Amino acid sequence: MNSYKLSHLKQLESEAIHIMREVAAQFERPALLFSGGKDSIVMVRLAEKAFFPARIPFPLVHVDTGHNFEETIQFRDYLVKKLDAQLIVRSVQDSINKGTAVEEKGPNPSRNSQQTITLLETIEEFKFDACFGGARRDEEKARAKERFFSHRDDFGQWDPKNQRPELWNLYNGKKQVGEHFRVFPLSNWTEMDVWQYILAENLEIPSIYFTHRRDIVNREGTLLAHSPFITVMNGETVENKIVRFRTVGDMTCTGAVESEASTLEEIIQEVAAARQTERGTRADDKRSEAAMEDRKKQGYF
């Protein structure tokens, strides 16, 4: 009798690879949504393994808000060149210029909602029928409602009450013309699993995940990177702090945490002791109790 058992990371990896191969088999034009963050970096590694020795058989798609961390953009370009992968970049600024998106007003206008418009335009432009996303169920309560295969209607919208059953690892990718799926291979992963996998696979990640000094504006408890995209308001000051970022996104809403974790091992120890989820540092999720679910219904990642 074979007593060999997969470690929990190998089980998660095997599950994610199986889902990626299912997508490649069922859909004609899949794409991988790539932000340059840790979750999408893990997905790229999984795609490498799923289709080795061939190249990754679908493009990486980045919706650029124009408010990204420079370190993330540099890493994105480095990784794409290293893997000889296809990269498609579409800009929120282009949607604003076309008049399909409208810039928010205020001291730190977020482009997250406009990002949805650009994404849906990109899906329509390239006729993508399945888009891999790096969302995990432990991140936020709305994301906990997701299936692996998340059906989107012909407007790109998500209906949490119309999710398809996924029994015995069977995934239903049937759709009507104009509809598509978002697919989440990391659904059963946690933030800790992601960091442990990055360590086990010795993956490279952007430098902002590690401790560094940065000018910070404390906005109602969220430590925002000081940048040209936010306005320092009355009563606020710019302080130089030792921080790192647990999640990567738009600079106007992605908060840092004070940290001296300079290695993957130290990050894992810090995550193990954390009492706040990584999305707890995102100012856009605090706009309302249902902020994430509302964005997802509109077509967000």
Side-chain angles (χ1 to χ4, degrees):
M1 180 178 178
N2 187 355
S3 60
Y4 174 74
K5 293 183 179 180
L6 292 173
S7 73
H8 84 284
L9 285 180
K10 286 297 183 183
Q11 288 176 333
L12 291 171
E13 178 188 73
S14 178
E15 177 183 63
I17 287 174
H18 169 66
I19 291 166
M20 286 189 161
R21 289 172 176 168
E22 277 290 306
V23 169
Q26 292 193 41
F27 297 93
E28 295 182 4
R29 292 176 178 268
L32 191 153
L33 303 179
F34 185 76
S35 68
K38 65 184 186 307
D39 300 306
S40 55
I41 291 168
V42 166
M43 282 206 302
V44 168
R45 170 51 62 90
L46 293 168
E48 284 186 274
K49 290 192 171 188
F51 304 105
F52 182 83
R55 292 172 59 194
I56 297 174
F58 36 75
L60 310 186
V61 176
H62 182 215
V63 177
D64 185 356
T65 66
H67 293 171
N68 297 97
F69 291 92
E70 183 61 32
E71 298 94 328
T72 307
I73 298 299
Q74 291 175 357
F75 182 85
R76 176 201 71 187
D77 295 340
Y78 160 76
L79 184 63
V80 167
K81 183 176 180 181
K82 177 182 176 182
L83 298 176
D84 190 26
Q86 180 186 0
L87 174 67
I88 295 172
V89 179
R90 289 296 181 267
S91 170
V92 170
Q93 186 62 53
D94 289 339
S95 297
I96 293 172
N97 293 343
K98 289 189 299 183
T100 55
V102 179
E103 186 83 80
E104 282 189 0
K105 307 298 182 182
N108 62 320
S110 171
R111 287 186 170 181
N112 265 13
S113 57
Q114 287 78 12
Q115 202 175 4
T116 298
I117 296 169
T118 307
L119 173 60
L120 294 177
E121 290 175 346
T122 305
I123 290 172
E124 175 63 25
E125 177 185 354
F126 291 95
K127 308 300 180 187
F128 293 133
D129 51 6
C131 294
F132 292 106
R136 308 185 319 270
R137 291 180 181 135
D138 74 318
E139 287 183 272
E140 203 273 343
K141 57 189 177 184
R143 284 181 166 169
K145 299 179 181 180
E146 290 278 18
R147 301 285 198 267
F148 285 107
F149 277 36
S150 179
H151 174 262
R152 304 298 172 107
D153 65 19
D154 51 356
F155 293 102
Q157 296 176 330
W158 172 67
D159 182 0
K161 297 179 181 179
N162 189 28
Q163 295 282 295
R164 298 176 179 182
E166 294 180 341
L167 306 175
W168 307 293
N169 294 329
L170 298 176
Y171 305 107
N172 182 357
K174 291 183 179 180
K175 61 179 182 61
Q176 301 296 323
V177 174
E179 299 176 345
H180 71 278
F181 279 80
R182 308 289 172 84
V183 182
F184 303 108
L186 306 185
S187 287
N188 286 335
W189 297 52
T190 65
E191 182 186 10
M192 178 64 81
D193 293 328
V194 168
W195 283 116
Q196 289 179 333
Y197 190 79
I198 289 171
L199 177 62
E201 293 289 313
N202 195 29
L203 299 182
E204 296 176 273
I205 57 175
S207 60
I208 62 172
Y209 281 116
F210 299 104
T211 185
H212 60 283
R213 282 198 167 273
R214 187 179 293 265
D215 288 341
I216 293 293
V217 176
N218 187 332
R219 179 151 296 166
E220 298 179 354
T222 300
L223 305 182
L224 297 175
H226 185 231
S227 73
F229 312 123
I230 68 171
T231 301
V232 179
M233 296 188 293
N234 290 336
E236 295 180 337
T237 58
V238 178
E239 301 178 79
N240 190 263
K241 290 182 174 290
I242 299 175
V243 299
R244 72 176 192 87
F245 291 85
R246 291 176 67 184
T247 181
V248 168
D250 195 305
M251 291 184 74
T252 62
C253 59
T254 303
V257 293
E258 295 190 65
S259 170
E260 296 188 358
S262 60
T263 66
L264 289 172
E265 290 85 355
E266 290 174 348
I267 288 175
I268 288 171
Q269 291 177 358
E270 188 177 89
V271 170
R275 292 297 176 265
Q276 183 185 48
T277 68
E278 61 192 295
R279 295 290 307 191
T281 63
R282 295 290 291 267
D284 51 331
D285 287 353
K286 300 176 182 179
R287 293 189 172 194
S288 75
E289 282 293 317
M292 172 64 80
E293 184 159 335
D294 290 342
R295 292 202 304 275
K296 287 178 67 62
K297 288 178 179 178
Q298 295 166 2
Y300 187 70
F301 296 97

